Amino acid sequence: MSAAAVPAVGGVSPRRAWVTDLPVLAVAVVWGASYLAAKGITTTHTVVAVLVLRFAIVLPVLVAVGWRKLRALTGAQWRGAGVLGLVLSGIFLLETYGVVHTSATNAGLIISLTMIFTPLAEAAVTRVRPSAGFVAAAGLSVAGVVLLTQGGGFTSPSAGDLLMLLAAFARTVHVLAMARIKAVRDADSLSLTTVQLGGAVAVFAVLAALPGTGASPWSTAAGFGAREWAGLVFLSVFCTLFAFFVQMWSVRRTSPSRVSLLLGTEPLWAAAVGISLGGEHLGVLGVAGAVLVLAGTAWGRRAASEGVRVRS
């Protein structure tokens, strides 16, 4: 949809709306590129170490920027955010192990199923039946994933594909938990994110200290060359710090629906980066599956939004 076709938010001209949209679109691009970046610097033996390094770099910045509001959190808000941090740690572990064992293209497309799983899970919890259109969109997306993971012929999905599917479920749990834990509903978003990331880093640090969980963060960092450090900085600064602050900035200047629509292009960028820079190849079945996933998630998002408007 062109900018001219979108009503201006709060009287803002379409041209100014695009000034807000471009940074959000940049977030979708860097998130799409993050799968190839993570795949390029991570091995099975360095997953936990890379996660420690990635978030330990940005956590002090978040703490320094939001120190006053962080201190104002109540005990219940700290506990709620801590629980969310545990779920978040599981998401990053599943995603990072998953991308190591599958292609960046598959990873970005499969994780987009979160947009289908979340409304379905919400419908199950609230006992509100989803629309027929949404159910059809969900079926289309699932069929797309089946084809996507069979790009080289019909075989068992790879371990990485299954891990990314579990990560999509975990993201759904995280979204529902944020909506249902009352203590965090009114919490400052920066403080909430900081506590969640702090909890996730604590989990990664504990895992890194256990035997048999791979290389230590320090030995991993010592073995990094310029390319690996560039990838780590990209994941830390752009995919985490930049992305978070752009989202905070944009939701105050445009609608959440517009932000969600732009961020929903993430799997497109994941596929584009994986194919153009990573030399990945989908094959005929894979291309057909990718098209179905993208069509299904776009249709599902629209159907879910229409359902919310009808209930309202």
Side-chain angles (χ1 to χ4, degrees):
M1 183 180 293
S2 66
V6 180
V9 180
V12 178
S13 67
R15 185 173 181 178
R16 285 196 62 188
W18 269 109
V19 172
T20 304
D21 289 347
L22 286 176
V24 180
L25 190 60
V27 171
V29 173
V30 298
W31 277 356
S34 68
Y35 300 101
L36 186 62
K39 190 175 181 67
I41 68 171
T42 313
T43 67
T44 304
H45 299 292
T46 62
V47 167
V48 175
V50 168
L51 287 172
V52 171
L53 294 170
R54 173 181 175 178
F55 295 108
I57 290 174
V58 299
L59 192 59
V61 178
L62 293 176
V63 171
V65 171
W67 179 245
R68 288 186 178 180
K69 291 184 178 180
L70 197 60
R71 292 179 62 188
L73 291 178
T74 65
Q77 288 173 331
W78 274 93
R79 290 189 293 272
V83 170
L84 292 174
L86 292 176
V87 179
L88 192 64
S89 67
I91 293 171
F92 281 117
L93 285 168
L94 288 168
E95 286 184 357
T96 311
Y97 275 113
V99 79
V100 168
H101 294 289
T102 190
S103 68
T105 302
N106 277 23
L109 290 166
I110 293 173
I111 202 68
S112 70
L113 288 178
T114 303
M115 290 180 283
I116 294 295
F117 293 157
T118 301
L120 287 176
E122 186 178 15
V125 170
T126 60
R127 297 182 179 179
V128 176
R129 182 178 297 179
S131 66
F134 184 84
V135 173
L140 192 67
S141 296
V142 172
V145 168
V146 172
L147 289 177
L148 177 67
T149 59
Q150 306 303 317
F154 283 95
T155 59
S156 298
S158 71
D161 293 332
L162 295 176
L163 287 171
M164 295 307 301
L165 194 61
L166 289 175
F169 280 115
R171 280 195 183 190
T172 298
V173 172
H174 187 258
V175 171
L176 291 182
M178 287 188 69
R180 299 184 71 83
I181 298 178
K182 295 181 180 179
V184 304
R185 290 179 185 171
D186 299 324
D188 171 65
S189 58
L190 174 59
S191 301
L192 181 61
T193 300
T194 303
V195 175
Q196 287 186 78
L197 287 180
V201 170
V203 171
F204 302 147
V206 169
L207 290 177
L210 296 175
T213 54
S216 71
W218 325 120
S219 63
T220 300
F224 274 180
R227 184 180 68 85
E228 288 79 13
W229 276 110
L232 184 65
V233 169
F234 174 76
L235 290 171
S236 299
V237 176
F238 290 95
C239 299
T240 306
L241 203 59
F242 167 75
F244 173 74
F245 282 109
V246 165
Q247 288 181 85
M248 284 189 62
W249 172 80
S250 63
V251 294
R252 290 174 172 83
R253 290 164 176 79
T254 186
S255 69
S257 297
R258 194 174 178 96
V259 172
S260 176
L261 181 64
L262 291 166
L263 293 180
T265 64
E266 175 189 344
L268 284 173
W269 300 110
V273 171
I275 293 170
S276 61
L277 299 181
E280 298 176 352
H281 180 66
L282 285 178
V284 176
L285 287 178
V287 171
V291 170
L292 290 181
V293 169
L294 294 173
T297 51
W299 183 14
R301 187 189 300 112
R302 188 179 302 112
S305 298
E306 289 174 354
V308 169
R309 285 197 296 269
V310 169
R311 289 194 295 272
S312 298

